Every structure is written in structure tokens, then in C-alpha cells.
Amino acid sequence: MHFHIAICDDEQLQVQINTSYLKDIIKKNHLDVTLTGFTTLDALNEHLASNEIDIIFMDIDLGDASGIQGAAELFSSRPDIVVIFITGHREFACEAFDIDALGYILKPIVPDKLEHTLLKAIRQISDRKEKQANHFLVFYGDKNKMRVPEHEIRIIERSGSHALITTTKESYRVYDSLKNLAERLSDDFIRINQSDLLNIAEIDSIRGTTLYTKNCGEKVISRKYRKDVLDAFFQM
């Protein structure tokens, strides 16, 4: 399995040092990895607009920018990215873990600590990718049998006598009920009302009975499903 790793530090020398450490670990553990370095959050975000990244090793003090704030913004649109902080600032550890960073490595780097944290991230991503690869929704759309990976499905909406399945690539009209479709999906999907079955990864935020999604607009949470939706959201 191939992995894409980014290193973001406002000092080019530190990017080179971190890259050197990681190359040694990658070689030792026979990992298939592409490493890319950045000295600004803007450059990292520009790269992310058209490229996949699995893991980011990020400094907290990025000159005029905050690595913690930058990571929090990344998580809002790319929740699957794993962020590990490499920093000289011990005092920000609690804030880092509050935004679900996987690790917090202090400078100067201890190679064993870096290796342990990288391998932990690799295992986490491998487990998720294998799970995604093995989960598909099979249905008939326009008389053709379709097989769509679950992680590509954003939302399934009831519309009259059919359901509309919206994925990251296209939409499909299916003559099946939300109940039947939900029974064939994993726990990564949740009913939020009588008309919508949502991929949990699409949840951006919740305010009262309004659920804000990343790509599917605003949705109303019905009273019947509110507790389940909130439980799923806080376990993300």
C-alpha cells in the first residue's frame, strides 16, 4: 500500500532534517511512501487541492500561521488526514490533542519516538483503507447493476418512489427504499430524518436541529434520530 506524507515547517532546514529522519524509518520498515515538503500552510493547501495526502508532520509555529489552527481547518474538509506535530513547544500539547492530532513529538527529535508514531499512523490508515476497499453498496440503477464503494457515497435521499444516491463522482436514481439501502450499508451511515441517509464523514457541524454537511447543504435532524446523530457526531 502506498502512502503520501507531507512535512510542513516554516524552516527549510527543519523540513530537510525531518525528511532525513523519515527516509531512514521508511527504508528500515520497507514502506512505500512519497515524501513532500512545504514551508507554508498556503503551499500545503495548494498541493492538497489536487493531490492526496495521508499523513502530515507539522510544526506548530509556522511564522505568521498556527499549525494547530491550520490542522483544525484541514480536518473540517479532510477528516481522514492524520496530523502529527513536530515542535519545540511543549505547552501546546493539550490543544493539539483537542483537535485529534495523532501524535506530539518534541524537538530535538528522538528517532524511536518518531518511528513509533509513524508506524501507528500507517496502521491506522491501512485499517481504514482496507475497510473502505471491502465495503460496497450494490444496487440497480437505470437497469444496470452498480457497485459503488461506500466511502464515495455522500448521501442517499428519498424522492417520491425512488432514492437518489449522491457520490463524489455522480448521482444514481434507484427504485429502492432508504430502509433497504440502510440495511446493506455499514455503521458509517446514519438516518438523520425520514428522507435522508447520510455518510457520517459528511457531517461538518450541528446547531440545534440543523445539521451542516460538507457537500450536501443544510439538513434538519428529526427528533426520532437526534440522539443517534449526536452520538455519531461526538464519536467522529
Side-chain angles (χ1 to χ4, degrees), residues 40-94:
T40 66
L41 274 176
D42 287 343
L44 173 62
N45 288 325
E46 184 177 344
H47 181 81
L48 272 168
S50 55
N51 297 275
E52 290 298 319
I53 290 180
D54 298 301
I55 304 168
I56 302 174
F57 287 91
M58 185 181 291
D59 192 10
I60 286 180
D61 185 359
L62 293 169
D64 294 333
S66 162
I68 290 178
Q69 181 62 35
E73 292 171 0
L74 279 175
F75 286 143
S76 68
S77 59
R78 308 287 286 273
D80 288 341
I81 287 180
V82 173
V83 172
I84 299 164
F85 288 108
I86 298 181
T87 179
H89 297 278
R90 184 185 300 271
E91 66 271 22
F92 293 113
C94 290

Side-chain angles (χ1 to χ4, degrees), residues 135-193:
H135 283 79
F136 294 84
L137 178 65
V138 178
F139 57 88
Y140 284 90
D142 297 327
K143 299 182 180 179
N144 295 318
K145 189 175 182 179
M146 309 296 297
R147 187 169 180 263
V148 177
E150 276 195 2
H151 71 274
E152 292 183 1
I153 300 172
R154 288 175 170 166
I155 192 170
I156 303 177
E157 302 165 278
R158 187 175 66 183
S159 179
S161 61
H162 64 270
L164 183 67
I165 300 175
T166 301
T167 75
T168 56
K169 297 175 181 177
E170 57 185 300
S171 297
Y172 305 91
R173 188 183 301 270
V174 182
Y175 289 92
D176 206 341
S177 69
L178 259 65
K179 182 177 183 295
N180 288 339
L181 292 168
E183 289 174 350
R184 304 205 298 273
L185 288 165
S186 71
D187 293 339
D188 291 336
F189 290 80
I190 191 165
R191 287 287 291 269
I192 59 175
N193 54 49

Side-chain angles (χ1 to χ4, degrees), residues 83-236:
V83 172
I84 299 164
F85 288 108
I86 298 181
T87 179
H89 297 278
R90 184 185 300 271
E91 66 271 22
F92 293 113
C94 290
E95 291 181 52
F97 289 117
D98 280 345
I99 63 163
D100 292 329
L102 180 72
Y104 195 89
I105 299 172
L106 289 171
K107 301 174 185 176
I109 292 172
V110 176
D112 287 348
K113 169 74 171 177
L114 181 62
E115 179 177 12
H116 173 78
T117 307
L118 173 60
L119 295 180
K120 180 180 178 182
I122 292 289
R123 287 193 297 271
Q124 178 176 305
I125 294 165
S126 296
D127 289 346
R128 187 188 72 240
K129 287 187 174 183
E130 287 175 6
K131 178 182 176 183
Q132 290 176 344
N134 293 326
H135 283 79
F136 294 84
L137 178 65
V138 178
F139 57 88
Y140 284 90
D142 297 327
K143 299 182 180 179
N144 295 318
K145 189 175 182 179
M146 309 296 297
R147 187 169 180 263
V148 177
E150 276 195 2
H151 71 274
E152 292 183 1
I153 300 172
R154 288 175 170 166
I155 192 170
I156 303 177
E157 302 165 278
R158 187 175 66 183
S159 179
S161 61
H162 64 270
L164 183 67
I165 300 175
T166 301
T167 75
T168 56
K169 297 175 181 177
E170 57 185 300
S171 297
Y172 305 91
R173 188 183 301 270
V174 182
Y175 289 92
D176 206 341
S177 69
L178 259 65
K179 182 177 183 295
N180 288 339
L181 292 168
E183 289 174 350
R184 304 205 298 273
L185 288 165
S186 71
D187 293 339
D188 291 336
F189 290 80
I190 191 165
R191 287 287 291 269
I192 59 175
N193 54 49
Q194 292 297 324
S195 302
D196 297 307
L197 178 61
L198 185 70
N199 188 327
I200 292 171
E202 278 293 309
I203 300 176
D204 184 48
S205 61
I206 297 174
R207 297 177 187 172
T209 59
T210 302
L211 185 151
Y212 299 86
T213 72
K214 295 181 175 70
N215 300 284
C216 307
E218 298 177 12
K219 298 291 180 180
V220 175
I221 307 170
S222 67
R223 180 179 298 178
K224 178 179 179 180
Y225 299 105
R226 179 173 170 76
K227 182 180 184 302
D228 290 341
V229 173
L230 289 174
D231 287 346
F233 176 63
F234 287 116
Q235 290 173 13
M236 288 176 64

